[in-house]
Amino acid sequence: MNTYVQPFRLTVVLVGTLYDSNIGASSRAMANMGFDRLVLVRPECEITYAAQQAAATGQEALQNRTTYSTWEEFYKSEPDGIRISLTAKDGRGRAVQDLNETLEWLKTQEPLLQSNDSQKPAEVYLIFGPENWGLSANDIELTHFCCSIPTFGENASLNLGQAVLLALFILRQAWGGTKTQLEGSQRTRMTTKMSEDAEQKIFPENTLKEWLTTMGYDLSKPKTNVYTTLKRMLLHNVPTQKELIALETILQQAIRKMKHYNQLIKKSNVD
C-alpha cells in the first residue's frame, strides 16, 4: 500500500466568523502547527485589537489573511484543491467521518494529492464555519469531505480557535512535519524572541492595501504608488501600537461601508 504524501500547501478557511478574537486565536494555532495561509469568507466581524491580542506571537497568518465576500470570489481566485469541511456530529443526517480517518485514507490515494502542476504542492483546504451554527448544508456541499474532530464528552461543540488547533494537530499527526525542538538554551532563545516579537508594532499593511484598492487605486506600480506614499507618511510620525490598532479598525469599517455602497450602486444600475 502506497502511503507517500506529496508536499502540500494547507489553507485554513474561516466562514462567516462572528468574533475576531477567534480569528486571532486561529492564527496563533496555525503558527503553532507550522502553517501561515488564512482565508476568510464573508466574515461577520472587523479585525480589531482583540484579534491581534488573541494571535499573540502568531501574527503572520492574521496579518497576511485573504478575505472574500462570497464563495464565488473564493473559487474565482483560489486554485483547485482538496476541500475538507469541519462540523460536529449533531444528527443532521450528514455523512460525517472523523478527520483522522479521512486523512489516513487520503494518504493511500496518491492521485488525489497530486497538483495539476508537478512543480507546485497540492492544495488542501480545512474549512470551518461560524461560532453559532457552524457550516450550512450549502457550504458543506461545496467541499469534498465532511469531517469531525473526535471528542470524548457530551459536548461535541468546540471553540473555533480550539477546533483549528486540534484539526491542524491531527493533520500533522497523519501527514507529518518537522517538530519544534525546545531544549536547553534553545528554549530560552525562542522565549526571548517571542517576547521581542510581541512588542513589535504591527502595521496594517493588507488592510491599507484593501482600502485603497476598494477605492479604485492601482497598486501594481513597482516603485511609487499611493500605498507606498501613504505608508511612508504614516510611519514617518512613528505611530504607537494603540494608534495602529485604531487605524486598522477605521480602515476595516471604511472597507465594509464602501463595499456595501458599491453593492447598492451595482444593484441600482441593474434595476
Side-chain angles (χ1 to χ4, degrees), residues 137-185:
N138 290 335
D139 291 333
I140 291 176
E141 287 179 359
L142 298 174
T143 64
H144 299 103
F145 302 96
C146 181
C147 298
S148 67
I149 297 172
T151 56
F152 297 87
E154 293 183 359
N155 185 3
S157 178
L158 295 165
N159 168 269
L160 178 57
Q162 294 174 336
V164 172
L165 178 61
L166 288 171
L168 295 180
F169 177 76
I170 291 171
L171 184 142
R172 282 300 192 194
Q173 288 286 87
W175 289 4
T178 303
K179 291 183 180 180
T180 306
Q181 300 297 321
L182 296 176
E183 297 179 0
S185 60

Side-chain angles (χ1 to χ4, degrees), residues 255-266:
I255 290 168
R256 291 171 68 89
K257 289 184 178 297
M258 283 191 291
K259 286 184 176 180
H260 179 65
Y261 174 77
N262 290 337
Q263 290 175 351
L264 291 177
I265 294 297
K266 184 177 181 181

